[in-house]
């Protein structure tokens, strides 16, 4: 916005904004006031100096999803969408790991206790032909369960037998981050899941994404998001 004001003041060019931006919360069109004279006056005043000053009192997060701990010392906040952090007293979360052998997930399991994470249980999905004799209690305080899959590995998302309300899924080639931040809606306290809209610019112009949407609409005709 500062650069827009400077261009408008020095060149007299009023920025053209997208129609969706020019709507209020009720969806009605809004009209911006003509500030060219004021911006021109500012430009003349500051043309021989640096018109910008750095301040920690204002921060623009540009429509970023955040939880309170991500905020800094600023007093004026723009563009932040605040959510609630995970609360262990309200919900438990299981970590499901897709495994293809019997020991690829050991690296993740062994480092689990050194991480700040929300997982109360771990489920490792392995092929029915895999043998596993590991005592995971040696590596982590988190209860670990082995489940033998009876469907293709891409079905782990659906076939994992999870007892908690929510779970996250990864595979044996990853490790848990040092700090896991999960966002929940403040009211119903359900997890916030990022998605891509199934529109042409973001998805439908890519053949693989188009096919995913088309297949999903076989059972959900109104499907319009890609996770």
């Amino acid at each position: 916005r500062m650069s827009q004001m400077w261009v408008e003041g020095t060149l007299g060019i009023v920025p053209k904004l997208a129609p969706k931006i020019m709507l209020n919360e009720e969806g009605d069109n809004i009209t911006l006031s003509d500030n060219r004279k004021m911006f021109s006056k500012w430009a003349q005043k500051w043309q021989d100096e640096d018109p910008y000053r750095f301040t920690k009192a204002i921060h623009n997060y540009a429509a970023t999803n955040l939880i309170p701990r991500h905020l800094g010392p600023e007093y004026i906040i723009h563009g932040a969408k605040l959510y609630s952090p995970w609360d262990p007293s309200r919900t438990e979360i299981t970590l499901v790991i897709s495994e293809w052998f019997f020991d690829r997930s050991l690296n993740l399991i062994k480092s689990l206790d050194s991480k700040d994470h929300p997982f109360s249980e771990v489920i490792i999905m392995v092929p029915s032909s895999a043998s596993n004799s590991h005592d995971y209690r040696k590596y982590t305080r988190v209860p670990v369960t082995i489940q033998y899959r009876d469907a293709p590995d891409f079905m782990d998302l659906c076939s994992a037998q999870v007892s908690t309300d929510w779970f996250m899924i990864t595979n044996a080639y990853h490790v848990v981050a040092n700090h896991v931040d999960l966002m929940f809606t403040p009211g119903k306290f359900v997890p916030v899941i990022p998605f891509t809209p199934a529109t042409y610019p973001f998805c439908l112009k890519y053949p693989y994404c188009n096919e995913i949407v088309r297949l999903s609409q076989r059972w959900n005709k109104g499907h319009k998001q890609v996770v």
Side-chain angles (χ1 to χ4, degrees):
R1 181 55 180 150
M2 292 293 293
S3 59
Q4 292 176 352
M5 293 164 59
W6 188 251
V7 170
E8 194 169 339
T10 56
L11 303 179
I13 300 175
V14 179
K16 294 182 179 180
L17 302 179
K20 287 185 177 181
I21 297 179
M22 303 302 293
L23 300 176
N24 60 18
E25 294 180 353
E26 286 73 35
D28 300 323
N29 288 316
I30 59 176
T31 303
L32 297 179
S33 58
D34 188 347
N35 296 312
R36 280 178 293 180
K37 289 185 179 180
M38 179 175 63
F39 294 158
S40 176
K41 182 179 179 180
W42 291 354
Q44 293 176 11
K45 178 179 179 180
W46 295 99
Q47 63 182 347
D48 297 326
E49 302 182 42
D50 186 354
Y52 303 109
R53 297 290 186 272
F54 178 78
T55 176
K56 293 184 178 180
I58 305 173
H59 197 110
N60 180 9
Y61 286 97
T64 305
N65 294 334
L66 302 171
I67 58 176
R69 88 171 191 89
H70 295 148
L71 298 176
E74 58 273 357
Y75 295 95
I76 301 176
I77 299 171
H78 175 74
K81 179 67 174 179
L82 283 179
Y83 290 96
S84 299
W86 170 67
D87 184 352
S89 66
R90 298 184 63 175
T91 186
E92 293 184 334
I93 302 172
T94 297
L95 177 63
V96 177
I97 305 173
S98 290
E99 169 73 274
W100 293 274
F101 298 92
F102 63 92
D103 59 354
R104 297 295 173 90
S105 57
L106 276 180
N107 188 38
L108 188 158
I109 297 298
K110 289 180 178 180
S111 64
L112 196 56
D113 287 358
S114 64
K115 308 300 177 67
D116 180 15
H117 66 83
F119 307 117
S120 58
E121 181 183 356
V122 174
I123 295 174
I124 303 177
M125 304 293 294
V126 298
S128 57
S129 59
S131 60
N132 193 310
S133 58
H134 293 294
D135 184 1
Y136 291 101
R137 292 174 297 181
K138 296 179 180 179
Y139 311 124
T140 177
R141 298 186 298 272
V142 181
V144 179
T145 303
I146 300 297
Q147 290 186 16
Y148 292 93
R149 66 171 66 95
D150 54 5
D153 52 10
F154 59 80
M155 290 298 293
D156 288 351
L157 181 67
C158 301
S159 58
Q161 299 178 19
V162 178
S163 59
T164 56
D165 290 336
W166 308 103
F167 72 93
M168 297 180 68
I169 188 168
T170 185
N171 63 46
Y173 298 104
H174 293 82
V175 294
V176 175
N178 290 329
H179 181 86
V180 180
D181 275 329
L182 299 183
M183 300 180 184
F184 288 78
T185 56
K188 296 182 179 180
F189 205 72
V190 297
V192 176
I193 301 176
F195 67 89
T196 299
T199 57
Y200 184 81
F202 296 105
C203 172
L204 300 181
K205 70 178 181 180
Y206 304 105
Y208 65 90
C209 194
N210 196 334
E211 182 182 10
I212 291 173
V213 174
R214 181 176 55 82
L215 293 174
S216 65
Q217 289 177 342
R218 289 183 179 181
W219 57 272
N220 180 14
K221 293 183 179 180
H223 181 73
K224 57 182 180 180
Q225 298 173 349
V226 181
V227 176

